[in-house]
Amino acid sequence: MRDIWLVLKHEYMRHVARKGFIFALLSVPLILVVSIRAGFLSVAASMDPKPAAYVDLAGVIQVIPPAAAPSLDSENPFSNVELLPYATEAEARAALDAKEIQAYYVIEADYLETGAVRLVAVDRPNEGLSSQLADILQYNLLSRFPPEVQKRVMNGPVVEVLAMDGSQQMSGANIWGIMLPLGIGLLFFFGISYSSGYLMSALIEEKENRTVEILLTSISPNHLMAGKVAGNLLAGLTPLLVWGGSAGIGLIILMTSLPESARPDVDPNLIWISLLAFIPAFLMIAALMAAVGSSAASESEANQYSGLFTLPLVVPLWFMMLLIDKPNSPLSVGLSLFPFTAPIALTMRASFTIVPFWQIALSIGLLWLTALACMWFAGRAFRLGMLNYGKRLKLKEVFRRSKPTPKLEGGHE
Amino acid sequence: MPAIEVEHIAKSFGKQCAVSDVSFEVNPGEIFGLLGPNGAGKTTSIRIILDIFKPDAGRVAVLGGPMDETKKDRIGYLPEERGLYQDQRLDRVLVYLATLKGLTTSEAQKRIGAWLERFDLAEHSKKKIKELSKGMQQKAQLISTLVHQPQLVIIDEPFSALDPVNTQMVKDLLREERDRGTVVVMCTHQMHQVEELCDRLVLIHQGRAMLYGTLNDIRRSYAGHAVNVRALADLPAALPGVANITRHNGDTRLDLLPGATPQAVLQDLVARGLPLEMFEIAMPTLDEIFIQVVKGQEDAA
């Protein structure tokens, strides 16, 4: 175990301790945070902090509800300004002319019959001003109903769209339902690409400089491979965790400033399904990259093949509309079962529909089976290819020499 | 008990036979030469000894039995045409490789510090491997081979990329290791290095062991019927029992007739009152023996 730990630590540190790695690690979330912040500030900067006013000719507004109370925050573009009541439009007009207020609404006397409200402003008023007034009006109109009815009307209906087979299917109106699986999928794709790329180049370097012979005469091939896979996997996951973590923190910050109705409704099953799918996917791709690294004659040759394994992972993104609109169509189901497309397709389906348990089990089972087969294949390619200097290992050679042997075979002087 | 026992090993890769029949033993406390031209099967033999390859036939015992994981910490191996992790710092690479050989990090750091001092590499310890000269890299690799004080050291072409000063230093180092009790197997095609360093040797050609034994025994067995003479006066144009006289760089080679003995020729020269500086049985160099062996095999074929 000490050998595995030493190799793991070495493989991890050789990537993570590089200046370029640290720079990339920190720069991505930094750029993200700075750009989100800049976006917020630019919207907030365009906000007019001056109060607005209303002239309630219909006599509807009795109280200002807490949700529409002034909450002016110079850095939050979603904050409310103060809404002052004026008895007459002339007073309001005078205040507007005196630039004491940014705009005023006139709630016409026949509002209850017509719903007519007039907005008077010199410049364009703040973005959320009209919805702030609408909230106040709605609240006051509902004041004679019990609180639970008020709340129900204010929050709107919970629409549950059911598919023909009885499985639950979300409306798709919530943008988070699309963004979250997409984000998870992309993060994992980059994580897999990074870590398997690291593993492949580490193997090729050791093959080219023949350090592999020193390593193989120091520790067992199995320990060497286990340490390398784990070390490079962690190195690839590190930016993923840092970026994913920062994105998560960013999301939490964003959520606290969003109105409740716009907040994401995240299904915890989605997280579990993605984790269960991505672990074997990581192993599968890492094993295939290790096989390529062991059998290719040079790094440039290996790079030509590496895309073959990582590109299918993002194929579900091409079919994103299908996965959103028809998550239970045969193609969607097929994409979520085929091991190379399953990680992202299954995650996306799981966020748009309730995937039947047997499909989840079959998909993850197939992923594990493929991962194990790929690891077996990689083990053979490693044994046969690592000492085959300057020569490409042929695919049929990996299968042909099928006699079980714990020893290494391959190239020669 | 021999440190290495190799009995009739054979290894083929597809239709290509890399080693067809090689046997030898390496004794404790000796520098053993594994000789042969490029492609002779030396590296394949080493990889079989080290259990990197499994032989198709034959048997290998290392340090008293079959090779296993526990013996790896007692062996130091320096492969041919090696390199190290080019983008990493010298000290970190050496500590990593030393810890894989069972040393603790602190012990590895202590020993590597002393080795770096000895090899004049201390001031370069924080540099990346790629910033070092080839000779420096070669010395770094020697450190990684010896730092864990192995009982058996196998070095493939130890003098490539070394200048004469460093070559001498490595020779001294290998002798020092032998004196310490380490078994050293030196794999090379540079015959003169073997003549200078090795106690015994095996010569492999086309996958077969062609010569095996102590250097002196081999040379004696290939010695021609001739003597080398250096005299302070001119030698006569003809001498009894001598078939041919050849002069080269102040020395004279006397090829003897069948039945003539070196003692008789020496007595004759002394009787003539010729002042002699040197009189020796003409021993062939390993290069000459090798050419003789290869030609003999080609003629036989």
Side-chain angles (χ1 to χ4, degrees):
Chain A
M1 283 310 285
R2 180 179 180 263
D3 296 343
I4 298 176
W5 167 243
L6 287 170
V7 176
L8 186 157
K9 198 170 69 172
H10 176 256
E11 292 293 327
Y12 183 76
M13 290 310 291
R14 69 187 289 190
H15 297 299
V16 174
R18 279 189 299 118
K19 282 180 194 143
F21 186 94
I22 297 167
F23 180 75
L25 197 68
L26 300 178
S27 60
V28 170
L30 206 67
I31 290 168
L32 207 72
V33 167
V34 167
S35 49
I36 289 174
R37 189 97 186 122
F40 262 59
L41 287 176
S42 68
V43 176
S46 67
M47 272 183 62
D48 191 342
K50 283 202 295 282
Y54 62 88
V55 182
D56 184 9
L57 302 177
V60 176
I61 300 174
Q62 304 299 318
V63 283
I64 301 288
S71 61
L72 197 62
D73 176 354
S74 61
E75 291 184 4
N76 186 353
F78 301 102
S79 57
N80 293 329
V81 292
E82 196 177 358
L83 269 175
L84 304 169
Y86 280 84
T88 63
E89 188 175 352
E91 285 174 49
R93 180 72 199 208
L96 182 68
D97 291 343
K99 294 183 179 168
E100 289 165 4
I101 55 171
Q102 54 174 295
Y104 67 86
Y105 292 92
V106 179
I107 300 155
E108 303 290 3
D110 58 352
Y111 169 75
L112 286 175
E113 291 79 40
T114 63
V117 176
R118 193 155 39 87
L119 170 67
V120 181
V122 179
D123 296 318
R124 192 165 172 265
N126 286 352
E127 199 67 47
L129 195 58
S130 292
S131 60
Q132 190 184 346
L133 178 80
D135 283 348
I136 295 170
L137 285 170
Q138 202 172 26
Y139 185 86
N140 282 278
L141 288 171
L142 293 167
S143 58
R144 58 202 164 90
F145 292 98
E148 60 270 20
V149 176
Q150 278 181 36
K151 197 177 162 195
R152 179 53 41 237
V153 177
M154 294 289 280
N155 288 344
V158 176
V159 180
E160 208 174 78
V161 183
L162 291 173
M164 291 301 284
D165 62 1
S167 65
Q168 190 189 9
Q169 190 172 319
M170 66 180 289
S171 68
N174 189 346
I175 188 74
W176 296 103
I178 300 167
M179 293 304 287
L180 198 69
L182 194 67
I184 293 175
L186 286 175
L187 272 176
F188 274 104
F189 169 70
F190 286 119
I192 285 177
S193 301
Y194 275 122
S195 48
S196 52
Y198 288 155
L199 180 64
M200 192 179 75
S201 47
L203 284 168
I204 287 173
E205 187 191 0
E206 281 170 2
K207 182 179 173 176
E208 281 180 345
N209 67 24
R210 302 205 176 189
T211 316
V212 67
E213 288 187 52
I214 299 176
L215 298 174
L216 289 176
T217 51
S218 300
I219 58 171
S220 82
N222 292 340
H223 287 186
L224 176 65
M225 206 58 182
K228 289 189 96 64
V229 168
N232 287 289
L233 205 65
L234 283 177
L237 282 174
T238 300
L240 192 103
L241 293 173
V242 171
W243 298 342
S246 346
I249 293 168
L251 218 63
I252 291 166
I253 295 170
L254 188 68
M255 276 162 63
T256 53
S257 58
L258 278 179
E260 200 172 336
S261 58
R263 285 180 197 172
D265 179 20
V266 181
D267 181 2
N269 286 332
L270 181 68
I271 307 294
W272 283 115
I273 290 172
S274 16
L275 277 177
L276 284 174
F278 280 104
I279 290 169
F282 261 121
L283 291 172
M284 177 178 79
I285 302 294
L288 285 171
M289 290 290 205
V292 171
S294 310
S295 48
S298 65
E299 181 148 16
S300 55
E301 190 190 307
N303 285 331
Q304 291 168 6
Y305 294 107
S306 60
L308 285 176
F309 307 127
T310 49
L311 277 182
L313 293 174
V314 287
V315 164
L317 299 182
W318 305 343
F319 295 96
M320 199 166 81
M321 288 320 292
L322 176 86
L323 287 162
I324 294 170
D325 290 340
K326 293 178 178 170
N328 290 319
S329 69
L331 183 59
S332 302
V333 174
L335 284 171
S336 66
L337 292 179
F338 181 61
F340 284 89
T341 51
I344 290 182
L346 186 67
T347 311
M348 290 184 89
R349 279 188 68 210
S351 63
F352 304 130
T353 185
I354 289 193
V355 183
F357 177 75
W358 71 266
Q359 286 181 11
I360 297 173
L362 184 63
S363 174
I364 290 167
L366 283 174
L367 262 169
W368 271 108
L369 275 179
T370 318
L372 290 173
C374 289
M375 280 154 73
W376 172 86
F377 179 79
R380 287 199 63 76
F382 178 72
R383 291 187 191 104
L384 294 167
M386 276 310 267
L387 302 161
N388 217 5
Y389 303 115
K391 290 181 199 162
R392 188 188 301 115
L393 182 69
K394 289 176 188 152
L395 192 64
K396 61 179 180 185
E397 284 182 288
V398 181
F399 291 105
R400 192 175 56 203
R401 299 185 200 180
S402 57
K403 67 176 181 184
T405 166
K407 304 293 184 282
L408 297 164
E409 296 176 19
H412 49 89
E413 179 187 48
Chain B
M1 183 183 62
I4 299 175
E5 288 173 88
V6 175
E7 287 178 20
H8 304 291
I9 54 168
K11 180 76 187 170
S12 293
F13 299 98
K15 289 177 184 166
Q16 198 181 346
C17 176
V19 175
S20 58
D21 184 13
V22 171
S23 298
F24 59 87
E25 285 182 0
V26 182
N27 297 324
E30 73 175 357
I31 299 181
F32 186 83
L34 189 57
L35 304 189
N38 293 327
K42 303 188 297 286
T43 304
T44 302
S45 300
I46 286 181
R47 288 179 182 166
I48 291 171
I49 293 168
L50 290 170
D51 205 30
I52 296 174
F53 293 160
K54 194 176 174 64
D56 298 335
R59 192 187 74 90
V60 173
V62 179
L63 299 172
M67 182 70 183
D68 59 43
E69 292 299 321
T70 58
K71 286 181 182 165
K72 287 184 174 177
D73 289 352
R74 295 154 67 193
I75 296 172
Y77 173 50
L78 186 59
E80 193 192 359
E81 289 174 35
R82 52 261 162 190
L84 290 168
Y85 302 103
Q86 295 296 307
D87 280 324
Q88 294 179 48
R89 266 170 45 175
L90 172 63
D91 54 349
R92 287 185 184 157
V93 171
L94 291 178
V95 168
Y96 170 56
L97 295 175
T99 50
L100 288 183
K101 285 290 188 185
L103 295 186
T104 61
T105 306
S106 59
E107 183 61 22
Q109 283 167 336
K110 203 171 100 185
R111 289 194 198 180
I112 285 162
W115 276 103
L116 289 172
E117 287 288 343
R118 178 175 179 175
F119 276 177
D120 295 326
L121 285 173
E123 60 184 296
H124 305 288
S125 66
K126 307 284 180 214
K127 284 186 183 168
K128 286 183 178 174
I129 299 283
K130 66 182 174 191
E131 293 165 2
L132 304 177
S133 71
K134 276 208 156 191
M136 287 178 184
Q137 291 190 32
Q138 172 94 335
K139 288 196 276 186
Q141 283 146 1
L142 275 164
I143 294 174
S144 77
T145 311
L146 299 171
V147 68
H148 56 292
Q149 295 182 340
Q151 289 170 260
L152 171 62
V153 172
I154 299 178
I155 305 187
D156 207 347
E157 299 292 355
F159 305 108
S160 59
L162 289 182
D163 60 29
V165 175
N166 284 316
T167 298
Q168 190 55 48
M169 189 180 70
V170 173
K171 283 178 187 171
D172 293 343
L173 184 68
L174 293 180
R175 288 194 187 100
E176 195 184 296
E177 284 295 318
R178 175 190 53 193
D179 296 343
R180 211 169 53 80
T182 311
V183 181
V184 180
V185 176
M186 196 174 95
C187 185
T188 184
H189 64 276
Q190 293 176 301
M191 308 292 175
H192 65 281
Q193 304 289 10
V194 178
E195 283 179 318
E196 205 179 319
L197 275 173
C198 295
D199 305 300
R200 293 191 317 124
L201 62 95
V202 62
L203 191 147
I204 301 176
H205 180 55
Q206 293 180 341
R208 288 181 174 277
M210 307 302 293
L211 296 170
Y212 172 52
T214 65
L215 190 59
N216 279 338
D217 287 349
I218 288 172
R219 289 177 72 182
R220 199 165 285 130
S221 67
Y222 276 81
H225 197 39
V227 293
N228 289 329
V229 176
R230 193 184 301 146
L232 294 174
D234 287 341
L235 290 177
L239 284 166
V242 175
N244 193 28
I245 299 175
T246 327
R247 288 183 177 81
H248 180 69
N249 284 346
D251 291 350
T252 306
R253 179 184 168 96
L254 308 177
D255 292 306
L256 308 186
L257 288 165
T261 63
Q263 285 75 14
V265 174
L266 179 62
Q267 276 172 2
D268 182 61
L269 291 173
V270 172
R272 286 168 192 262
L274 271 170
L276 294 177
E277 258 194 350
M278 181 188 81
F279 185 94
E280 64 175 20
I281 307 291
M283 295 279 239
T285 62
L286 268 178
D287 272 326
E288 289 166 336
I289 295 171
F290 174 68
I291 291 164
Q292 219 175 316
V293 167
V294 172
K295 275 190 80 178
Q297 202 180 40
E298 281 169 3
D299 292 346

